[in-house]
Amino acid sequence: MLIVQKYGGTSVADIERIKAVAERVAKTVEAGNQVVVVVSAMAGETDKLIELAHQVNPSPGEREMDLLLSSGERVTSALTAMAIQALGYKAIALTGRQMGIVTDSVHTKAKIERITGERAFQALKDGYVVVVAGFQGVTEEGEDVTTLGRGGSDLTAVAIAWALNADLCEIYTDVEGVFTTDPNIVPEARKLQRISYEEMLELASSGAKVLQTRSVELAMKYNVPLVVRSSFNDKPGTYVCKEDKEMEKVMVSGVAYDKNQVKITILKVPDRPGIAARLFKQIADANIVVDMIVQNISSDGQSTDISFTVPKTDRERAVEIAQRVSSELGAGGVVVDENIAKVSIVGVGMKTHSGVAAKMFETLAEHGINIMMISTSEIKVSCVINDKYTELAVRALHEAFNLKEG
Ligand code: ADP
Ligand code: ASP
Ligand code: MG
């Protein structure tokens, strides 16, 4: 079999952990497999580099940011290859460029366009373990390093598994799989044996960072067989796969939260066609992804308030655009709320059960938690609340939908 193994930050956090990765890779090779390893930077390293950048410049250039951030994964890819060599196996470390990972030129959140992977193909044929630096690519012209957005090594792994037509993509992390909610917040959370791509996608896009959203999107699109498991033990992990009948029996399979968004409101926007189009076109042109949107008639009945949420990292640019649009339209100005969190419940069973949203609202109400925004999809309900209630809300919903162990 050809197996892609991705090791996250905590799994390569220090020399001991890197040696443990090398051992696991060696075992996988001994079992008769070809292995491509994808590594993240050491735990905390990417944050540290971002912090350094902001110490020299409050708004650092994005091209240089990518050059800086890509270094973390280069360090671990080289060290991991060396550790595998030390065990007597052939290993070669490749950067994103050397792997032929070609992206667009949207720095800090580039999209993969294609993977050539020639060197990797050849190296595998020659009996090497290929160790790829995650999270990075190179622009079409081959001139600039790009990065794939936070958590992007997951995407590197899935994209390589797809490009090389691997039999399995294993995501090794610091938890034993995908749980009914973040086990670091709710210790009673239960590990799922299997989860559908669809549910995993909703959980990831709702903030469950165990898999990066785009990596799940890609896995779902191309049916890449994916398993999430721990690099600290040999327990089986969670399979992410196509939905089946069994899965529909459960109404809700998981609860997720996201504290990485801000809410921006433009007050008293004239109530006429074309306004929302104008605002959100400009935001989209700036490559900012808007999550929730709510529009409400304001008290004077002549105008509306438009609220929307964006990732915290895009706050400055989004506010700038909102302020510009507000003054162009003669609206009432812009207000920003930093103290928000989004809590979501996800489950394919929602398609066939009613009253799920009502139960979520009731549960939040019972705990005195006010809802600021709501959005739903066929298999998800999300509420924006004050962020000081995040943990309380997650625990309460986990309990209300009977997701606990046992
Ligand atoms: P890595 O560095 O290996 O990529 P991440 O920190 O990105 O690891 O993702 C793993 C973390 O995801 C866990 O430590 C856990 O806190 C968090 N997490 C959030 N929601 C879930 C969930 N539903 N199941 C498992 N882990 C989750
Ligand atoms: N090191 C990058 C990050 O921290 C990518 C990753 O770990 O997947 O976001
Ligand atoms: Mg991650």
Side-chain angles (χ1 to χ4, degrees):
M1 291 217 297
L2 172 58
I3 301 180
V4 175
Q5 296 188 332
K6 179 258 170 176
Y7 292 91
T10 38
S11 305
V12 291
D14 53 37
I15 294 305
E16 219 158 285
R17 298 296 310 145
I18 288 176
K19 285 183 175 171
V21 166
E23 297 278 358
R24 190 184 289 270
V25 172
K27 243 202 269 175
T28 316
V29 172
E30 285 305 326
N33 302 295
Q34 291 182 309
V35 187
V36 176
V37 181
V38 174
V39 284
S40 288
M42 291 180 181
E45 187 60 28
T46 308
D47 289 335
K48 211 187 295 166
L49 292 171
I50 293 172
E51 176 58 35
L52 286 178
H54 284 101
Q55 280 181 30
V56 291
N57 186 336
S59 45
E62 292 187 326
R63 180 186 170 280
E64 283 62 39
M65 196 63 161
D66 274 352
L67 188 59
L68 178 72
L69 296 191
S70 67
S71 68
E73 270 72 7
R74 290 173 181 231
V75 170
T76 46
S77 63
L79 289 173
T80 304
M82 290 172 191
I84 297 169
Q85 290 162 358
L87 296 177
Y89 296 84
K90 294 202 281 188
I92 180 173
L94 299 178
T95 63
R97 177 203 291 260
Q98 290 166 338
M99 182 65 206
I101 300 178
V102 179
T103 71
D104 63 17
S105 51
V106 183
H107 284 291
T108 75
K109 45 184 166 187
K111 288 209 167 68
I112 295 180
E113 288 181 342
R114 60 197 162 82
I115 298 184
T116 55
E118 283 137 26
R119 269 182 97 169
F121 272 123
Q122 192 54 50
L124 287 170
K125 231 188 266 169
D126 295 340
Y128 282 81
V129 172
V130 176
V131 186
V132 183
F135 178 53
Q136 58 189 276
V138 63
T139 53
E140 185 69 56
E141 302 74 32
E143 279 162 6
D144 287 321
V145 177
T146 51
T147 63
L148 308 176
R150 296 309 303 268
S153 298
D154 294 337
L155 179 61
T156 305
V158 172
I160 289 178
W162 167 62
L164 301 186
N165 200 14
D167 300 287
L168 182 62
C169 180
E170 296 181 318
I171 306 288
Y172 285 94
T173 183
D174 57 358
V175 286
E176 286 175 10
V178 180
F179 285 68
T180 46
T181 192
D182 187 344
N184 289 319
I185 290 218
V186 182
E188 308 84 56
R190 186 167 42 84
K191 184 169 82 181
L192 302 165
Q193 276 186 342
R194 292 180 315 142
I195 184 168
S196 68
Y197 289 121
E198 238 183 327
E199 287 171 315
M200 192 61 238
L201 183 60
E202 291 282 18
L203 279 180
S205 65
S206 305
K209 66 171 183 160
V210 62
L211 283 175
Q212 189 223 29
T213 307
R214 271 159 51 202
S215 73
V216 186
E217 251 165 26
L218 192 70
M220 177 159 95
K221 189 165 170 196
Y222 296 108
N223 262 315
V224 177
L226 204 59
V227 60
V228 178
R229 52 187 298 195
S230 169
S231 69
F232 293 78
N233 61 44
D234 286 322
K235 296 197 181 153
T238 302
Y239 277 85
V240 187
C241 50
K242 276 196 192 162
E243 180 186 335
D244 63 35
K245 282 273 170 296
E246 268 310 291
M247 292 173 175
E248 276 177 28
K249 289 189 188 151
V250 191
M251 196 158 67
V252 169
S253 24
V255 180
Y257 64 93
D258 183 357
K259 290 186 184 177
N260 272 316
Q261 302 221 353
V262 288
K263 176 160 91 86
I264 298 172
T265 304
I266 308 186
L267 301 165
K268 298 203 167 166
V269 180
D271 191 10
R272 56 167 199 264
I275 301 287
R278 184 156 165 181
L279 168 65
F280 292 111
K281 167 91 174 52
Q282 295 194 38
I283 300 229
D285 286 347
N287 283 307
I288 298 171
V289 178
V290 172
D291 184 26
M292 285 193 168
I293 301 173
V294 169
Q295 182 173 345
N296 247 333
I297 290 286
S298 71
S299 45
D300 61 11
Q302 305 295 311
S303 56
T304 67
D305 289 349
I306 299 181
S307 293
F308 58 97
T309 62
V310 296
K312 277 192 175 145
T313 44
D314 291 324
R315 177 204 152 120
E316 264 173 56
R317 279 182 315 145
V319 169
E320 233 175 74
I321 294 167
Q323 276 166 344
R324 195 170 62 227
V325 172
S326 169
S327 58
E328 282 167 13
L329 299 173
V334 173
V335 208
V336 182
D337 188 351
E338 284 262 359
N339 302 317
I340 60 152
K342 181 175 70 166
V343 289
S344 309
I345 53 172
V346 172
V348 285
M350 279 184 210
K351 290 181 192 170
T352 44
H353 291 79
S354 59
V356 180
K359 184 165 177 177
M360 177 178 194
F361 305 151
E362 256 168 41
T363 306
L364 295 176
E366 277 163 17
H367 289 81
I369 301 171
N370 188 41
I371 301 170
M372 299 181 211
M373 297 168 113
I374 299 169
S375 79
T376 62
S377 81
E378 209 184 3
I379 63 163
K380 182 188 74 174
V381 186
S382 300
C383 296
V384 170
I385 59 171
N386 187 310
D387 68 350
K388 69 179 178 202
Y389 297 123
T390 315
E391 278 81 9
L392 176 63
V394 170
R395 280 199 201 98
L397 292 169
H398 195 262
E399 178 86 36
F401 287 99
N402 284 323
L403 297 175
K404 281 198 303 197
E405 192 78 72

